[in-house]
Amino acid sequence: MAARKKLRLCADMSVAETVDYLNDLIRGLQAGAVTVMREDESVTLTPGAEISVRARARARRKKQSFSLRLAWRVEKPADAECADKHDDDATKPVAAASSDK
């Protein structure tokens, strides 16, 4: 199991910088890896096939906010399932039986 990593980014950005940042996140999602960086730290996430999306918008008199949360389960590679079994026979091909009588 991989070690837990957590990174929080807090920054004041212009609208153009925010759009660029969001576009970078979109490109990462499309490529299959999203990296969040802050100074000399980074966390790379690999999105699963299904993503849970939560959006929240809030408008008050003097302040507005929009939150977006994406979450997914980490998928094991197909090869890892066989390796977890520790069974030498799991990797051997099985011959099909024929019923010629």
Side-chain angles (χ1 to χ4, degrees), residues 11-100:
D12 292 325
M13 299 180 196
S14 68
V15 171
E17 290 170 325
T18 303
V19 169
D20 286 344
Y21 184 77
L22 292 173
N23 281 327
D24 285 344
L25 291 175
I26 290 168
R27 281 190 289 277
L29 279 170
Q30 291 170 332
V34 175
T35 300
V36 177
M37 294 187 294
R38 183 187 68 203
E39 297 171 8
D40 62 340
E41 295 179 271
S42 70
V43 175
T44 299
L45 308 171
T46 52
E50 293 286 323
I51 298 176
S52 171
V53 179
R54 293 184 188 175
R56 179 179 173 188
R58 190 174 204 175
R60 295 184 179 171
R61 284 187 180 170
K62 295 183 179 185
K63 185 177 179 180
Q64 297 179 348
S65 65
F66 178 77
S67 301
L68 181 63
R69 182 178 185 264
L70 307 176
W72 54 84
R73 294 210 177 269
V74 176
E75 297 176 1
K76 281 199 295 188
D79 293 344
E81 291 179 22
C82 289
D84 288 345
K85 293 179 183 175
H86 300 291
D87 184 3
D88 293 334
D89 292 335
T91 58
K92 294 180 184 175
V94 177
S98 64
S99 57
D100 293 335

